[in-house]
Each structure stands twice: as structure tokens, then as C-alpha cells.
Amino acid sequence: MRSLFTSFFLCLCLLASPAMAVAPDEILDDPALEARARVLSAELRCMVCQNQSIDDSDAPLAKDLRVLVRERLVAGDSDAQVIDYLVSRYGEFVLLKPRFAWNTLALWAAGPLALVAGLFAIILALRKRRAQSAQAADSPVAGLSEEEERRLKALLEDNG
């Protein structure tokens, strides 16, 4: 029973691991170049899938990009030259993590600005709630308008 459970667990772990779409015919003979190609492929977006790297995608365009990356590396290009070539050909969108530049400033600033705006909104909401609870504690009957409170005070004073 224990060996069955162990086998099941190992199969489950293998299924949960990320699927690499690199075909055996794409793999370079030089392990150093192949490692560089894998690192670069993990940084490049599949133009078809758009949320996967070309290393993970099974799309034909991703295969073409993987082959192109390997061809450029075999030709002697540096990692930066390969990235620059692909960006010049496909635009910044090909990068999973866009470069920090003036034209991408809004993209990089959007997350922190949204966080600050959310914190500011929470602080304002807490202050408003605190002010309302303080006002409710001061009024004789919670939930009355100012006009109703004046009428209530006048009636209570008349009845003494």
C-alpha cells in the first residue's frame, strides 16, 4: 500500500512540474549555449499565448522564436544582442518583463501608484467610519438627522 501511495505521489509531482515545450531537435549540443538559450527563452513572451514564455509554449511561433534564439547564439551574439534583435523585430511586447524606460514608466509606476491609492482610500474610509461612530455616540439617538435631533431635544426639554 505504501509503495502505491509513493508511486501515486511521484506521478502527481511530475504532472505538477512545468511542461517544457522545447523539442529534442531544438536542443543545442553545447551545454553552455543551451543554458543561455533556456534563460533567454524564459524571458521572452510567446506572441500567440501572450502569458507564457516561449520556453513553455507549444505554439509554432514560439518554436520559431526558440530556434531563432539558438541560431543567434550559435552565430556568436551576446544575450543582449539577441534580446535587442528580437525587440527590434517584434517590439517591447516580446519581453515578459519590459525594460525600464521613459515609454514604459507608466507601466512600472502603475502598480505602486495603485497600492498607494488603495491605502489612501482605506485610510479615508477608516477616518469616515470613526467620525460617524463618534457622531453617533454624541447624539441621543443614532441615525437621526440634525433637524430630527433638534426636534427631539426640544421635546425632551419641554417634558423636563
Side-chain angles (χ1 to χ4, degrees):
M1 182 68 176
R2 183 180 175 120
S3 64
L4 179 65
F5 177 73
T6 305
S7 300
F8 176 73
F9 183 72
L10 287 175
C11 288
L12 189 62
C13 288
L14 288 174
L15 290 175
S17 66
M20 297 298 177
V22 179
D25 62 335
E26 297 174 28
I27 297 175
L28 296 172
D29 293 332
D30 183 3
L33 282 180
E34 180 60 28
R36 285 177 54 203
R38 287 292 179 107
V39 169
L40 288 173
S41 295
E43 296 174 5
L44 297 170
R45 179 188 316 270
C46 173
M47 304 301 276
V48 176
C49 308
Q50 296 187 0
N51 259 353
Q52 282 185 322
S53 69
I54 63 171
D55 203 33
D56 296 332
S57 176
D58 288 329
L61 180 60
K63 177 181 170 60
D64 294 343
L65 287 174
R66 287 191 304 266
V67 169
L68 181 62
V69 165
R70 284 167 173 76
E71 286 174 357
R72 301 293 294 192
L73 289 174
V74 169
D77 286 359
S78 68
D79 293 357
Q81 288 172 323
V82 173
I83 295 290
D84 290 341
Y85 175 77
L86 290 170
V87 167
S88 69
R89 194 165 178 188
Y90 296 100
E92 288 278 331
F93 188 71
V94 77
L95 301 175
L96 277 173
K97 185 177 179 184
R99 299 174 181 163
F100 185 77
W102 287 108
N103 60 343
T104 59
L105 183 63
L107 176 68
W108 285 100
L113 287 176
L115 178 66
V116 169
L119 291 173
F120 185 70
I122 289 171
I123 290 169
L124 286 179
L126 289 175
R127 282 186 179 177
K128 183 177 179 182
R129 181 179 287 176
R130 191 174 297 141
Q132 286 176 344
S133 64
Q135 181 184 9
D138 290 342
S139 71
V141 179
L144 297 178
S145 67
E146 290 180 26
E147 174 64 30
E148 291 172 332
E149 285 186 35
R150 276 185 289 202
R151 286 183 51 208
L152 180 60
K153 284 181 185 178
L155 287 172
L156 289 174
E157 288 174 4
D158 288 343
N159 289 337

